Amino acid sequence: MAAKEQRSSGAGDPARTLELLWRTGGGVPENRRGPRQGLTVDTVVEAALGLADEGGLDALTMRAVAQRLGVTPMTLYTYVPGKAELLDLMLDSVLLGMERAPFAPGRAPWRERVTAVADANRALYLGHPWLAELRVHRPPLGPGVMAKYEYELGAFEGLGLDDVVMDSALSHVLGFVQSAARTELEARAVDRESAMSDHEWWDTHAPLLERVLDAERYPLASRVGEAAAVAYQGMYDPEYAYAFGLARVLDGLAALIPPGPRGPRD
């Protein structure tokens, strides 16, 4: 499969992937040494993460990982069966290493707890932009995924929600964060490719727009667009968009929480 096409988690051999994720005896042992002293499954994953962080998923090939490690591709396959399994290992690794702000269910206000979860996931996407390119419909069930899920469910524990609603509420929050992060990363890419910031772009185009736009014909677009452009200092402000959207997500979740000491007023 071509490098551009392999962008999904859970596409490898399930048994081999789980063995590698949990470092059990059925896969390649964690301490197995190859022709190059010190090479392990972890060093392979670390090299792959470096390539993906630097150049996105397009830069990630088994040959490129082997070159970075100074081994042949065939040697690499001794540790990881293929790119599909490697993507699962990479994803689980970054999830295991996520920052997790400590909170005690039932003590810190629920909005504060959910916000901590959202902020951590946003930081993850912005720190590893390739994650936004990866389709994760079937996440690898490794220690990173399970630790993340356990921690994030704690943000909803003790609110009177049943288990299915807790899972759905978490998925809703994470879906918003992923969408917001993708939009922000796309805006950053446009800035890089155009060699012009959003603010600079607006400064260039605003005078031209004023000459051709009929404010009487488009009164709402003119009024609201100008107010937004001034507030955003351009066409888009990722910080504002994220804060505004997350607040609306939390407002919606509040309707699910039964009134009480830890209810919607928190």
Side-chain angles (χ1 to χ4, degrees), residues 190-208:
V190 169
D191 287 351
R192 289 194 306 272
E193 293 166 5
S194 66
M196 179 184 294
S197 70
D198 200 35
H199 180 68
E200 292 169 334
W201 184 91
W202 181 251
D203 282 347
T204 299
H205 287 77
L208 301 175

Side-chain angles (χ1 to χ4, degrees), residues 148-165:
K148 181 177 186 289
Y149 187 50
E150 178 75 16
Y151 166 78
E152 291 175 346
L153 286 173
F156 300 92
E157 180 72 345
L159 298 181
L161 306 177
D162 68 40
D163 290 348
V164 175
V165 172

Side-chain angles (χ1 to χ4, degrees), residues 18-120:
L18 283 174
E19 289 165 351
L20 287 166
L21 286 168
W22 293 93
R23 305 298 196 270
T24 63
V28 179
E30 172 63 16
N31 63 351
R32 177 171 178 172
R33 305 297 178 182
R36 177 182 173 183
Q37 186 177 6
L39 191 62
T40 66
V41 172
D42 283 341
T43 57
V44 171
V45 173
E46 183 179 352
L49 287 173
L51 285 169
D53 285 344
E54 295 164 13
L57 293 183
D58 287 346
L60 182 67
T61 66
M62 296 298 281
R63 181 174 297 276
V65 176
Q67 289 175 344
R68 175 158 291 202
L69 292 169
V71 300
T72 66
M74 289 306 297
T75 297
L76 197 63
Y77 286 113
T78 304
Y79 296 89
V80 180
K83 186 176 177 181
E85 291 83 4
L86 181 57
L87 283 171
D88 284 346
L89 288 165
M90 292 165 60
L91 174 59
D92 199 71
S93 177
V94 294
L95 297 187
L96 189 62
M98 281 182 69
E99 292 286 338
R100 308 194 210 283
F103 52 69
R107 296 183 182 178
W110 73 267
R111 286 177 181 261
E112 181 179 310
R113 300 185 333 238
V114 176
T115 296
V117 168
D119 289 349

Side-chain angles (χ1 to χ4, degrees), residues 34 38 118 126-127 130 202 260:
L126 299 184
W130 58 271
W202 181 251

